[in-house]
Amino acid sequence: MKILYFILPIFFIIASCSVNDLDFVTIEGKVQRAINGNGIANQSVNVMTRKSTGSGMFSTTRVLDEKKVITDENGKFSVRLVTDAGAFITVTYQGDEDYYGSGIYRNYFMDEPLIIETDKFVKFKILVKNTNSFDENDFIKIDFFAGLSNVVRTGIENFGVENTYHPAEQLPGGGGFSAYEETSWTGMDVNSIVYYSVRETSEDFKLRWQIKKNGIETDGFTADIPFNINEINPFSFEY
């Protein structure tokens, strides 16, 4: 028992010294809409302090500390992490179903607030229907065109024939291709809904279409599709 009383104070002294020897940094930032600077609440942000050592092929980067934080009602966040001389910050923001995840940010000046700008998604519900069918070789393919901006296809519902599906493929020499599906259909009974999320700062909100009927191929773009950013916007494409 006397030995225990002797060891415990030493343990707490060592633990206290190790904590006090650490350096900490408070990282402050904000997630906001690029279009107007309004902060976005309840966004998940992953923050790390990291440090690189060595150079060239012998260089390594290690994580000093890492935490996940949620933005407040004004889109702001603050987190305290372990740091060290020469350390830098890596912040990852993946977005959610309503906001575009704009990737990884690095801020080498730890005393400056970190501003993460992103876009709200405009959501579309595209109804595709073959109303003037010719035969079972009828073909339609659509894509949402938003210029150089990102478009996320979030779902497909088929009430008639299924959309085109490509199974996984293994190559003879090794490797292969993963399974994937297209927003295209072959047949007379095409009656489907495709859901898209498009960044609000996009310059175009159009459909690109390709159609083949009776051996005749046509293609083109729709006019800009009107939308309300606070709703799921329906648009009917009949062919």
Side-chain angles (χ1 to χ4, degrees), residues 1-238:
M1 183 63 72
K2 292 183 178 179
I3 295 176
L4 182 60
Y5 286 135
F6 177 74
I7 292 176
L8 280 176
I10 296 177
F11 170 79
F12 287 120
I13 290 171
I14 293 173
S16 176
C17 289
S18 62
V19 171
N20 292 335
D21 288 343
L22 293 176
D23 291 327
F24 290 87
V25 61
T26 298
I27 301 165
E28 296 182 344
K30 181 181 179 183
V31 179
Q32 64 185 36
R33 287 172 67 182
I35 201 167
N36 55 20
N38 290 344
I40 308 170
N42 300 317
Q43 296 298 292
S44 177
V45 181
N46 196 68
V47 189
M48 290 185 287
T49 47
R50 304 167 71 197
K51 184 175 182 179
S52 297
T53 56
S55 61
M57 62 181 296
F58 300 105
S59 65
T60 59
T61 301
R62 64 187 178 93
V63 176
L64 302 176
D65 201 359
E66 179 178 7
K67 290 179 182 177
K68 182 177 290 185
V69 64
I70 304 298
T71 59
D72 65 16
E73 65 274 12
N74 299 309
K76 295 182 178 181
F77 64 88
S78 179
V79 61
R80 188 169 182 258
L81 298 176
V82 174
T83 188
D84 197 1
F88 61 92
I89 301 167
T90 299
V91 176
T92 307
Y93 171 67
Q94 300 294 345
D96 57 22
E97 63 179 11
D98 294 319
Y99 291 94
Y100 171 69
S102 36
I104 295 176
Y105 290 77
R106 284 190 175 90
N107 178 16
Y108 293 91
F109 304 98
M110 294 188 180
D111 57 345
E112 296 180 2
L114 182 65
I115 303 299
I116 300 175
E117 291 193 330
T118 188
D119 295 326
K120 187 173 182 178
F121 280 129
V122 184
K123 298 181 180 181
F124 292 92
K125 176 182 179 180
I126 308 299
L127 296 87
V128 184
K129 191 169 186 178
N130 190 353
T131 57
N132 186 27
S133 57
F134 180 78
D135 60 25
E136 292 298 334
N137 295 314
D138 288 359
F139 174 81
I140 175 73
K141 184 178 190 302
I142 67 163
D143 289 296
F144 204 105
F145 178 77
L148 299 177
S149 184
N150 301 73
V151 175
V152 180
R153 189 181 73 207
T154 58
I156 303 174
E157 293 180 328
N158 296 307
F159 305 99
V161 299
E162 296 293 313
N163 59 295
T164 306
Y165 175 79
H166 299 272
E169 181 181 355
Q170 297 298 316
L171 299 178
F177 299 99
S178 300
Y180 67 98
E181 58 182 334
E182 294 181 0
T183 44
S184 67
W185 298 260
T186 301
M188 300 174 65
D189 183 24
V190 175
N191 182 15
S192 299
I193 300 175
V194 186
Y195 298 89
Y196 291 101
S197 291
V198 187
R199 294 171 65 176
E200 64 182 329
T201 53
S202 301
E203 295 182 359
D204 298 287
F205 296 86
K206 303 178 180 182
L207 286 186
R208 169 87 166 90
W209 54 266
Q210 298 170 268
I211 296 173
K212 183 177 180 180
K213 284 189 179 183
N214 194 20
I216 300 172
E217 297 184 12
T218 56
D219 64 87
F221 293 88
T222 66
D224 274 334
I225 301 173
F227 65 87
N228 183 327
I229 197 167
N230 297 314
E231 298 178 0
I232 298 177
N233 300 274
F235 180 80
S236 181
F237 186 85
E238 298 180 350

